[in-house]
Amino acid sequence: MKAMITLVCSLLLVFGGLGAAQAGSVNTLVISEVLYDPAGGDDQREWIELFNGTAGVIDLAEWSIGWGGSAYSYGTLQLDGTIDPAAYFIVGGPTSDLSNSSPSYSLAFDISPDLQNSGTIADGIALFHTLASSITNTTVPFFSVIYGGANSSSLIDHTGSVGAVDVGDAPSGQSIEFLGDGWVINPSPNPGSGSLSTVPVPSAIWMLASGLFGLVGIKRKSKTE
Ligand SMILES: [Ca+2]
Ligand SMILES: [Ca+2]
Ligand SMILES: [Ca+2]
């Protein structure tokens, strides 16, 4: 019995450690970075980067993005293509040069109307697990970022309730970037790369399985004694 308690405690330590070691990891599709206010003119230079934190390929034909100041339905775009596990996907442009950190577009698309540049009143960008044509003022996003000053427009987040402001207003030429546990303003936008990683599900399952086998082994042993 004492051995079993020790084993359970070690398992808890392993899983506690696993959680702590995974800052920066995500297990879903997320918006990972946005350049909404590129240096110079915004039109055809803005981009949105996605990251696939799942273990499978995602068909983006079932996903869309909406943005705006008073609601996410101000502008919408239908995603298309696929995104591999642990891969980045960039939609926007189609201009790519030093003014917008030279992104390599997965989906070249003139975001229109342009993404809001925020200020004292926050704006938002949201990822929807639905077709763009279905997005309304009240569609609950799968994932969202609210950036700028106060969320006085009452933009909602994935819970369907008014969301907290995730990050301040990025100066021109700087992006907002998701780091897994929150957003930052990034003075050096990094389209197509970043620090996010997927949750290592296979190793977690392996540890759980080996832990369970260990418990079964102890039970059997105590029975034969
Ligand atoms: Ca545009
Ligand atoms: Ca803009
Ligand atoms: Ca990035």
Side-chain angles (χ1 to χ4, degrees):
M1 190 63 193
K2 193 181 172 188
M4 189 185 283
I5 291 169
T6 308
L7 181 60
V8 169
C9 288
S10 334
L11 273 173
L12 286 174
L13 278 174
V14 165
F15 281 102
L18 189 70
Q22 296 307 312
S25 66
V26 293
N27 60 5
T28 63
L29 182 65
V30 296
I31 297 172
S32 49
E33 190 177 2
V34 180
L35 182 67
Y36 59 79
D37 187 8
D42 288 14
D43 185 31
Q44 304 191 28
R45 289 191 172 82
E46 303 173 328
W47 49 259
I48 299 169
E49 179 197 76
L50 306 176
F51 178 78
N52 179 4
T54 78
V57 177
I58 293 177
D59 181 358
L60 292 171
E62 303 167 358
W63 297 77
S64 58
I65 293 175
W67 62 93
S70 54
Y72 297 120
S73 55
Y74 169 70
T76 63
L77 75 84
Q78 178 59 52
L79 290 167
D80 194 21
T82 58
I83 178 169
D84 287 337
Y88 290 93
F89 183 102
I90 306 167
V91 56
T95 300
S96 175
D97 57 28
L98 289 178
S99 73
N100 64 352
S101 302
S102 306
S104 178
Y105 297 110
S106 315
L107 178 60
F109 183 91
D110 177 6
I111 294 172
S112 180
D114 287 348
L115 301 172
Q116 308 279 60
N117 285 2
S118 184
T120 52
I121 297 176
D123 296 316
I125 300 171
L127 177 67
F128 293 92
H129 195 178
T130 183
L131 295 178
S133 54
S134 303
I135 298 173
T136 70
N137 287 359
T138 54
T139 309
V140 175
F142 178 84
F143 185 87
S144 61
V145 56
I146 299 171
Y147 56 96
N151 184 13
S152 40
S153 305
S154 299
L155 291 166
I156 58 175
D157 64 14
H158 66 282
T159 67
S161 301
V162 175
V165 174
D166 295 294
V167 63
D169 181 13
S172 179
Q174 302 189 19
S175 67
I176 49 173
E177 183 178 21
F178 184 57
L179 300 181
D181 50 1
W183 287 79
V184 296
I185 292 172
N186 183 357
S188 306
N190 53 9
S193 65
S195 59
L196 290 178
S197 61
T198 58
V199 175
V201 176
S203 65
I205 288 174
W206 182 84
M207 272 190 268
L208 179 63
S210 56
L212 288 176
F213 281 131
L215 286 174
V216 170
I218 286 167
K219 271 192 174 176
R220 281 189 179 159
K221 197 180 169 190
S222 59
K223 270 184 183 171
T224 55
E225 273 171 2

